[in-house]
Amino acid sequence: MLNTMKKSIIGAGMALAFTLAGCGAQGSDDVVIYTNADEEATAAMETALDAAGYEGEYILQSQGTSELGGKLLAEGDQIEADVVTMSSYFLDSAQEQNEMFADLTFEAEALEEHPSYYTPVLGNTGAIFVNTEVLKQHGLESPESIADLAKPEYEGLVSIPNIEDSSTAWLMVQAVISEYGEEEGKAIFQDLIANVGPHLESSGSGPISKVQAGEVAAGFGLRHQAVAAKESGAPIDFVDPAEGNFSLTEAAAVVNKEDDEKSQKAMEMAEVISTDAREELLTYYPVALYKGETVDETHEPAHPKTFDQPLNVELLEQHQAFFNSAK
């Protein structure tokens, strides 16, 4: 039975479907690609596809994670898209509910096992980051853990993303529950959210912006953003939390359609996205996903961990409820 959250994202997806009706490429020879990736990632995909000879043969549409997730769950294989790049946990839930993706016909030698119907495109890893100047102004030691951010001395000086709006917050929730369990973890989050106050952000990049601006001393978000900020000369440092660096991947899948010729082209494009685009993607999202890939030592998290349950929409909903119960 779908709960309230799932109903809301399905509703959003259906509303979006009405908005896009009549303006897509259904019935044409163009391969339609739906993605929740940001601008850097979509640019890398387009560059790789064009270089592979597919320029003018595809339409790439960017959508928010909840919007695209709603469409996947609501429409299944009737969705307009031929290829989807999306958070892998949403692909898993969509496949479980709708059996909508075809098995991939190519192998790309990923480092981690994954289902036969998708292959990783990019990875994001969570970490703490700090503004070293603001820490000094307030006489604070740099935090070593997420739990440290819940200490009284950090009141009003922490920014984190809201799990209702950003999957980046899920990396933090996974780390806390994994290390402390739900009971102790809830107590930590109650104090942490109290410290955050007005700095609970609706986007994953919100906290790093607040930390860079000096509005807060510390935050939680994507590790590579803090590394880039530090390398640019900003007074930013990054901290791999003692609870662990958890990661989320986005992956490419091909919708199971009846059009054999178009489906074959879609499969070829998915392969290009997951192979040829990787070199550029690694410059923005420095997480090695395939054999032979390497990243600079700076981008290797000190405490990489994975959650002990499969990531899917249902687990996300449980962790959203956990987060909200701590407010």
Side-chain angles (χ1 to χ4, degrees), residues 126-143:
I128 296 168
F129 33 79
V130 298
N131 186 308
T132 55
E133 291 183 353
V134 177
L135 286 177
K136 289 178 182 178
Q137 290 170 10
H138 291 270
L140 294 171
E141 296 289 332
S142 181

Side-chain angles (χ1 to χ4, degrees), residues 5-174:
M5 182 269 185
K6 188 176 291 184
K7 288 178 181 177
S8 67
I9 60 176
I10 289 176
M14 294 179 72
L16 184 66
F18 285 116
T19 301
L20 295 175
C23 64
Q26 191 125 19
S28 77
D29 293 330
D30 292 329
V31 170
V32 178
I33 304 170
Y34 282 176
T35 181
N36 72 326
D38 58 24
E39 292 181 7
E40 291 86 356
T42 55
M45 294 177 198
E46 290 172 340
T47 297
L49 288 168
D50 292 349
Y54 293 110
E55 185 173 2
E57 298 182 24
Y58 64 90
I59 295 175
L60 194 153
Q61 295 182 359
S62 295
Q63 300 172 26
T65 299
S66 62
E67 291 175 330
L68 182 50
K71 288 180 69 65
L72 292 172
L73 295 173
E75 300 178 21
D77 60 9
Q78 298 303 303
I79 196 169
E80 184 183 31
D82 303 293
V83 177
V84 176
T85 80
M86 177 61 164
S87 302
S88 57
Y89 64 88
F90 249 122
L91 296 178
D92 286 329
S93 293
Q95 180 73 349
E96 181 179 359
Q97 177 173 308
N98 297 319
E99 297 183 1
M100 61 183 291
F101 301 119
D103 283 347
L104 300 180
T105 58
F106 59 89
E107 294 185 10
E109 296 188 308
L111 294 173
E112 302 290 339
E113 289 188 12
H114 58 84
S116 58
Y117 52 84
Y118 69 64
T119 191
V121 171
L122 60 87
N124 282 311
T125 300
I128 296 168
F129 33 79
V130 298
N131 186 308
T132 55
E133 291 183 353
V134 177
L135 286 177
K136 289 178 182 178
Q137 290 170 10
H138 291 270
L140 294 171
E141 296 289 332
S142 181
E144 296 181 356
S145 66
I146 298 169
D148 283 348
L149 299 178
K151 293 179 178 179
E153 55 263 38
Y154 284 95
E155 183 179 1
L157 295 172
V158 182
S159 180
I160 65 173
N162 190 339
I163 196 171
E164 289 291 342
D165 305 305
S166 171
S167 59
T168 301
W170 197 14
L171 301 171
M172 177 177 54
V173 173
Q174 289 179 49

Side-chain angles (χ1 to χ4, degrees), residues 131-296:
N131 186 308
T132 55
E133 291 183 353
V134 177
L135 286 177
K136 289 178 182 178
Q137 290 170 10
H138 291 270
L140 294 171
E141 296 289 332
S142 181
E144 296 181 356
S145 66
I146 298 169
D148 283 348
L149 299 178
K151 293 179 178 179
E153 55 263 38
Y154 284 95
E155 183 179 1
L157 295 172
V158 182
S159 180
I160 65 173
N162 190 339
I163 196 171
E164 289 291 342
D165 305 305
S166 171
S167 59
T168 301
W170 197 14
L171 301 171
M172 177 177 54
V173 173
Q174 289 179 49
V176 169
I177 291 177
S178 181
E179 181 69 20
Y180 306 107
E182 293 201 13
E183 184 175 351
E184 184 178 354
K186 182 178 178 180
I188 290 171
F189 265 104
Q190 286 174 332
D191 292 337
L192 174 57
I193 292 172
N195 280 352
V196 167
H199 303 298
L200 184 63
E201 302 300 316
S202 60
S203 73
S205 60
I208 188 67
S209 297
K210 287 283 183 77
V211 172
Q212 284 186 277
E215 294 184 46
V216 295
F220 183 94
L222 298 180
R223 191 180 189 278
H224 71 267
Q225 292 180 332
V227 173
K230 181 177 181 178
E231 291 178 344
S232 74
I236 302 298
D237 204 356
F238 50 92
V239 179
D240 293 318
E243 296 90 352
N245 300 94
F246 286 73
S247 298
L248 291 172
T249 59
E250 294 179 14
V254 177
V255 181
N256 198 5
K257 298 287 183 76
E258 295 181 358
D259 188 334
D260 292 340
E261 184 175 346
K262 191 175 181 182
S263 295
Q264 177 59 35
K265 185 185 289 188
M267 190 69 68
E268 293 169 358
M269 290 188 185
E271 183 173 10
V272 168
I273 289 170
S274 62
T275 54
D276 297 1
R278 282 295 299 155
E279 183 176 358
E280 184 175 349
L281 287 170
L282 272 171
T283 65
Y284 298 110
Y285 314 93
V287 177
L289 298 176
Y290 291 98
K291 293 178 181 178
E293 292 184 344
T294 58
V295 298
D296 186 271

